[in-house]
Amino acid sequence: MKTISAKMQVDHPVTEGVLDEAIESGELRRRSGLNATTVIFLDPCLAVGFEDGSGVLLPVKNYPEFDGFETEDFAGLKIGFAGAALCHEGKDLQVSIAGLISASKPLMDMAASVIASRNGRQSSAAKAEAARANGKKGGRPRKVDTAL
């Protein structure tokens, strides 16, 4: 049998520096993730609100996770897992908000469109250098029609 040594010692004392680093790491993770802050049932949809004030309406009929839920059961939904999931203690339900959103084709199509638009605006260092070089020459060179 092969013995594997642990790489990280868990019995090290927690110093102020380690604690500050952990808090900063957690804050970065929180800011970069999906952070819902509110959930409200607006029949026939769930309204999920996020930190920046934006929100999304999710029709519950599209999600089998909510089959058997009564109107009063929706009042028991809470935000959990640091804003990443909807939880209901009585129904033993934990469902990912990202999963709910990704199950909606129109929302995913919109997300793909937004990402494509954002990525199209990005410029690499090579593209920026080529644009500067072309600018010095008076702009993009004209295409020469060789079919004459």
PDB file of all heavy atoms in Angstrom, residues 63-85:
ATOM      1  N   TYR A  63     -40.347  23.814 -13.904  1.00  0.00           N
ATOM      2  CA  TYR A  63     -39.344  23.163 -13.071  1.00  0.00           C
ATOM      3  C   TYR A  63     -39.976  22.047 -12.236  1.00  0.00           C
ATOM      4  O   TYR A  63     -40.741  22.315 -11.311  1.00  0.00           O
ATOM      5  CB  TYR A  63     -38.664  24.193 -12.157  1.00  0.00           C
ATOM      6  CG  TYR A  63     -38.031  25.304 -12.952  1.00  0.00           C
ATOM      7  CD1 TYR A  63     -38.663  26.536 -13.076  1.00  0.00           C
ATOM      8  CD2 TYR A  63     -36.823  25.113 -13.604  1.00  0.00           C
ATOM      9  CE1 TYR A  63     -38.090  27.553 -13.829  1.00  0.00           C
ATOM     10  CE2 TYR A  63     -36.246  26.124 -14.356  1.00  0.00           C
ATOM     11  CZ  TYR A  63     -36.890  27.340 -14.465  1.00  0.00           C
ATOM     12  OH  TYR A  63     -36.327  28.334 -15.204  1.00  0.00           O
ATOM     13  N   PRO A  64     -39.637  20.797 -12.538  1.00  0.00           N
ATOM     14  CA  PRO A  64     -40.211  19.681 -11.790  1.00  0.00           C
ATOM     15  C   PRO A  64     -39.823  19.673 -10.306  1.00  0.00           C
ATOM     16  O   PRO A  64     -40.486  19.024  -9.496  1.00  0.00           O
ATOM     17  CB  PRO A  64     -39.664  18.441 -12.500  1.00  0.00           C
ATOM     18  CG  PRO A  64     -38.507  18.900 -13.301  1.00  0.00           C
ATOM     19  CD  PRO A  64     -38.734  20.347 -13.586  1.00  0.00           C
ATOM     20  N   GLU A  65     -38.793  20.416  -9.945  1.00  0.00           N
ATOM     21  CA  GLU A  65     -38.389  20.504  -8.541  1.00  0.00           C
ATOM     22  C   GLU A  65     -39.512  21.056  -7.667  1.00  0.00           C
ATOM     23  O   GLU A  65     -39.558  20.789  -6.468  1.00  0.00           O
ATOM     24  CB  GLU A  65     -37.155  21.413  -8.380  1.00  0.00           C
ATOM     25  CG  GLU A  65     -35.899  20.889  -9.019  1.00  0.00           C
ATOM     26  CD  GLU A  65     -35.757  21.259 -10.489  1.00  0.00           C
ATOM     27  OE1 GLU A  65     -36.707  21.800 -11.085  1.00  0.00           O
ATOM     28  OE2 GLU A  65     -34.681  21.003 -11.037  1.00  0.00           O
ATOM     29  N   PHE A  66     -40.417  21.825  -8.266  1.00  0.00           N
ATOM     30  CA  PHE A  66     -41.487  22.460  -7.500  1.00  0.00           C
ATOM     31  C   PHE A  66     -42.829  21.755  -7.650  1.00  0.00           C
ATOM     32  O   PHE A  66     -43.843  22.271  -7.191  1.00  0.00           O
ATOM     33  CB  PHE A  66     -41.600  23.940  -7.886  1.00  0.00           C
ATOM     34  CG  PHE A  66     -40.340  24.712  -7.629  1.00  0.00           C
ATOM     35  CD1 PHE A  66     -39.589  25.220  -8.675  1.00  0.00           C
ATOM     36  CD2 PHE A  66     -39.880  24.903  -6.333  1.00  0.00           C
ATOM     37  CE1 PHE A  66     -38.427  25.922  -8.450  1.00  0.00           C
ATOM     38  CE2 PHE A  66     -38.710  25.599  -6.087  1.00  0.00           C
ATOM     39  CZ  PHE A  66     -37.979  26.101  -7.142  1.00  0.00           C
ATOM     40  N   ASP A  67     -42.839  20.576  -8.281  1.00  0.00           N
ATOM     41  CA  ASP A  67     -44.071  19.787  -8.354  1.00  0.00           C
ATOM     42  C   ASP A  67     -44.503  19.435  -6.931  1.00  0.00           C
ATOM     43  O   ASP A  67     -43.684  19.048  -6.099  1.00  0.00           O
ATOM     44  CB  ASP A  67     -43.861  18.502  -9.159  1.00  0.00           C
ATOM     45  CG  ASP A  67     -43.718  18.772 -10.644  1.00  0.00           C
ATOM     46  OD1 ASP A  67     -43.968  19.911 -11.071  1.00  0.00           O
ATOM     47  OD2 ASP A  67     -43.331  17.827 -11.379  1.00  0.00           O
ATOM     48  N   GLY A  68     -45.761  19.575  -6.652  1.00  0.00           N
ATOM     49  CA  GLY A  68     -46.269  19.272  -5.311  1.00  0.00           C
ATOM     50  C   GLY A  68     -46.187  20.435  -4.341  1.00  0.00           C
ATOM     51  O   GLY A  68     -46.625  20.315  -3.199  1.00  0.00           O
ATOM     52  N   PHE A  69     -45.612  21.550  -4.761  1.00  0.00           N
ATOM     53  CA  PHE A  69     -45.556  22.742  -3.904  1.00  0.00           C
ATOM     54  C   PHE A  69     -46.922  23.423  -3.921  1.00  0.00           C
ATOM     55  O   PHE A  69     -47.537  23.580  -4.968  1.00  0.00           O
ATOM     56  CB  PHE A  69     -44.512  23.731  -4.423  1.00  0.00           C
ATOM     57  CG  PHE A  69     -43.163  23.622  -3.777  1.00  0.00           C
ATOM     58  CD1 PHE A  69     -42.423  22.455  -3.855  1.00  0.00           C
ATOM     59  CD2 PHE A  69     -42.630  24.699  -3.097  1.00  0.00           C
ATOM     60  CE1 PHE A  69     -41.189  22.361  -3.274  1.00  0.00           C
ATOM     61  CE2 PHE A  69     -41.385  24.620  -2.498  1.00  0.00           C
ATOM     62  CZ  PHE A  69     -40.657  23.442  -2.584  1.00  0.00           C
ATOM     63  N   GLU A  70     -47.375  23.809  -2.771  1.00  0.00           N
ATOM     64  CA  GLU A  70     -48.582  24.627  -2.642  1.00  0.00           C
ATOM     65  C   GLU A  70     -48.140  26.085  -2.507  1.00  0.00           C
ATOM     66  O   GLU A  70     -46.966  26.367  -2.256  1.00  0.00           O
ATOM     67  CB  GLU A  70     -49.384  24.202  -1.406  1.00  0.00           C
ATOM     68  CG  GLU A  70     -49.832  22.750  -1.423  1.00  0.00           C
ATOM     69  CD  GLU A  70     -50.806  22.438  -2.547  1.00  0.00           C
ATOM     70  OE1 GLU A  70     -51.582  23.340  -2.924  1.00  0.00           O
ATOM     71  OE2 GLU A  70     -50.776  21.316  -3.063  1.00  0.00           O
ATOM     72  N   THR A  71     -49.064  27.006  -2.638  1.00  0.00           N
ATOM     73  CA  THR A  71     -48.733  28.430  -2.552  1.00  0.00           C
ATOM     74  C   THR A  71     -48.022  28.758  -1.242  1.00  0.00           C
ATOM     75  O   THR A  71     -47.031  29.497  -1.235  1.00  0.00           O
ATOM     76  CB  THR A  71     -50.013  29.283  -2.683  1.00  0.00           C
ATOM     77  OG1 THR A  71     -50.644  28.951  -3.924  1.00  0.00           O
ATOM     78  CG2 THR A  71     -49.691  30.763  -2.676  1.00  0.00           C
ATOM     79  N   GLU A  72     -48.482  28.182  -0.134  1.00  0.00           N
ATOM     80  CA  GLU A  72     -47.839  28.471   1.158  1.00  0.00           C
ATOM     81  C   GLU A  72     -46.438  27.867   1.260  1.00  0.00           C
ATOM     82  O   GLU A  72     -45.603  28.352   2.019  1.00  0.00           O
ATOM     83  CB  GLU A  72     -48.712  28.007   2.333  1.00  0.00           C
ATOM     84  CG  GLU A  72     -49.100  26.554   2.320  1.00  0.00           C
ATOM     85  CD  GLU A  72     -50.378  26.262   1.532  1.00  0.00           C
ATOM     86  OE1 GLU A  72     -50.960  27.185   0.932  1.00  0.00           O
ATOM     87  OE2 GLU A  72     -50.773  25.101   1.511  1.00  0.00           O
ATOM     88  N   ASP A  73     -46.160  26.799   0.483  1.00  0.00           N
ATOM     89  CA  ASP A  73     -44.816  26.208   0.493  1.00  0.00           C
ATOM     90  C   ASP A  73     -43.783  27.166  -0.099  1.00  0.00           C
ATOM     91  O   ASP A  73     -42.632  27.192   0.335  1.00  0.00           O
ATOM     92  CB  ASP A  73     -44.795  24.893  -0.295  1.00  0.00           C
ATOM     93  CG  ASP A  73     -45.600  23.795   0.378  1.00  0.00           C
ATOM     94  OD1 ASP A  73     -45.692  23.809   1.626  1.00  0.00           O
ATOM     95  OD2 ASP A  73     -46.140  22.932  -0.347  1.00  0.00           O
ATOM     96  N   PHE A  74     -44.199  27.949  -1.084  1.00  0.00           N
ATOM     97  CA  PHE A  74     -43.267  28.891  -1.697  1.00  0.00           C
ATOM     98  C   PHE A  74     -42.825  29.966  -0.715  1.00  0.00           C
ATOM     99  O   PHE A  74     -41.729  30.512  -0.837  1.00  0.00           O
ATOM    100  CB  PHE A  74     -43.883  29.523  -2.954  1.00  0.00           C
ATOM    101  CG  PHE A  74     -43.965  28.569  -4.104  1.00  0.00           C
ATOM    102  CD1 PHE A  74     -45.187  28.044  -4.499  1.00  0.00           C
ATOM    103  CD2 PHE A  74     -42.828  28.173  -4.791  1.00  0.00           C
ATOM    104  CE1 PHE A  74     -45.268  27.158  -5.564  1.00  0.00           C
ATOM    105  CE2 PHE A  74     -42.896  27.290  -5.855  1.00  0.00           C
ATOM    106  CZ  PHE A  74     -44.129  26.777  -6.236  1.00  0.00           C
ATOM    107  N   ALA A  75     -43.654  30.256   0.272  1.00  0.00           N
ATOM    108  CA  ALA A  75     -43.278  31.242   1.293  1.00  0.00           C
ATOM    109  C   ALA A  75     -42.108  30.739   2.137  1.00  0.00           C
ATOM    110  O   ALA A  75     -41.374  31.537   2.728  1.00  0.00           O
ATOM    111  CB  ALA A  75     -44.473  31.564   2.187  1.00  0.00           C
ATOM    112  N   GLY A  76     -41.917  29.416   2.181  1.00  0.00           N
ATOM    113  CA  GLY A  76     -40.825  28.835   2.955  1.00  0.00           C
ATOM    114  C   GLY A  76     -39.501  28.766   2.211  1.00  0.00           C
ATOM    115  O   GLY A  76     -38.501  28.321   2.771  1.00  0.00           O
ATOM    116  N   LEU A  77     -39.469  29.201   0.953  1.00  0.00           N
ATOM    117  CA  LEU A  77     -38.207  29.196   0.211  1.00  0.00           C
ATOM    118  C   LEU A  77     -37.274  30.260   0.750  1.00  0.00           C
ATOM    119  O   LEU A  77     -37.683  31.393   1.003  1.00  0.00           O
ATOM    120  CB  LEU A  77     -38.453  29.451  -1.277  1.00  0.00           C
ATOM    121  CG  LEU A  77     -38.916  28.271  -2.104  1.00  0.00           C
ATOM    122  CD1 LEU A  77     -39.247  28.720  -3.525  1.00  0.00           C
ATOM    123  CD2 LEU A  77     -37.881  27.169  -2.144  1.00  0.00           C
ATOM    124  N   LYS A  78     -36.028  29.903   0.910  1.00  0.00           N
ATOM    125  CA  LYS A  78     -34.998  30.820   1.393  1.00  0.00           C
ATOM    126  C   LYS A  78     -33.802  30.764   0.456  1.00  0.00           C
ATOM    127  O   LYS A  78     -33.597  29.784  -0.249  1.00  0.00           O
ATOM    128  CB  LYS A  78     -34.531  30.425   2.807  1.00  0.00           C
ATOM    129  CG  LYS A  78     -35.634  30.328   3.830  1.00  0.00           C
ATOM    130  CD  LYS A  78     -36.081  31.682   4.262  1.00  0.00           C
ATOM    131  CE  LYS A  78     -37.132  31.553   5.359  1.00  0.00           C
ATOM    132  NZ  LYS A  78     -38.278  32.361   5.147  1.00  0.00           N
ATOM    133  N   ILE A  79     -33.008  31.804   0.481  1.00  0.00           N
ATOM    134  CA  ILE A  79     -31.749  31.824  -0.255  1.00  0.00           C
ATOM    135  C   ILE A  79     -30.711  31.121   0.610  1.00  0.00           C
ATOM    136  O   ILE A  79     -30.592  31.389   1.799  1.00  0.00           O
ATOM    137  CB  ILE A  79     -31.285  33.269  -0.539  1.00  0.00           C
ATOM    138  CG1 ILE A  79     -32.343  34.030  -1.332  1.00  0.00           C
ATOM    139  CG2 ILE A  79     -29.941  33.287  -1.254  1.00  0.00           C
ATOM    140  CD1 ILE A  79     -32.588  33.518  -2.718  1.00  0.00           C
ATOM    141  N   GLY A  80     -29.964  30.206   0.013  1.00  0.00           N
ATOM    142  CA  GLY A  80     -28.940  29.480   0.758  1.00  0.00           C
ATOM    143  C   GLY A  80     -27.661  29.341  -0.043  1.00  0.00           C
ATOM    144  O   GLY A  80     -27.565  29.802  -1.176  1.00  0.00           O
ATOM    145  N   PHE A  81     -26.687  28.671   0.553  1.00  0.00           N
ATOM    146  CA  PHE A  81     -25.394  28.419  -0.079  1.00  0.00           C
ATOM    147  C   PHE A  81     -24.786  29.711  -0.626  1.00  0.00           C
ATOM    148  O   PHE A  81     -24.406  29.805  -1.788  1.00  0.00           O
ATOM    149  CB  PHE A  81     -25.510  27.357  -1.180  1.00  0.00           C
ATOM    150  CG  PHE A  81     -25.887  26.000  -0.652  1.00  0.00           C
ATOM    151  CD1 PHE A  81     -27.213  25.599  -0.637  1.00  0.00           C
ATOM    152  CD2 PHE A  81     -24.925  25.150  -0.156  1.00  0.00           C
ATOM    153  CE1 PHE A  81     -27.581  24.369  -0.141  1.00  0.00           C
ATOM    154  CE2 PHE A  81     -25.274  23.909   0.339  1.00  0.00           C
ATOM    155  CZ  PHE A  81     -26.602  23.514   0.358  1.00  0.00           C
ATOM    156  N   ALA A  82     -24.747  30.721   0.233  1.00  0.00           N
ATOM    157  CA  ALA A  82     -24.140  32.023  -0.080  1.00  0.00           C
ATOM    158  C   ALA A  82     -24.763  32.682  -1.306  1.00  0.00           C
ATOM    159  O   ALA A  82     -24.087  33.318  -2.102  1.00  0.00           O
ATOM    160  CB  ALA A  82     -22.634  31.891  -0.249  1.00  0.00           C
ATOM    161  N   GLY A  83     -26.077  32.512  -1.462  1.00  0.00           N
ATOM    162  CA  GLY A  83     -26.779  33.160  -2.563  1.00  0.00           C
ATOM    163  C   GLY A  83     -26.820  32.357  -3.841  1.00  0.00           C
ATOM    164  O   GLY A  83     -27.262  32.847  -4.863  1.00  0.00           O
ATOM    165  N   ALA A  84     -26.388  31.100  -3.807  1.00  0.00           N
ATOM    166  CA  ALA A  84     -26.313  30.290  -5.023  1.00  0.00           C
ATOM    167  C   ALA A  84     -27.472  29.314  -5.172  1.00  0.00           C
ATOM    168  O   ALA A  84     -27.607  28.681  -6.213  1.00  0.00           O
ATOM    169  CB  ALA A  84     -25.000  29.518  -5.054  1.00  0.00           C
ATOM    170  N   ALA A  85     -28.322  29.179  -4.154  1.00  0.00           N
ATOM    171  CA  ALA A  85     -29.368  28.162  -4.223  1.00  0.00           C
ATOM    172  C   ALA A  85     -30.639  28.616  -3.530  1.00  0.00           C
ATOM    173  O   ALA A  85     -30.626  29.504  -2.682  1.00  0.00           O
ATOM    174  CB  ALA A  85     -28.876  26.866  -3.570  1.00  0.00           C
TER     175      ALA A  85
END
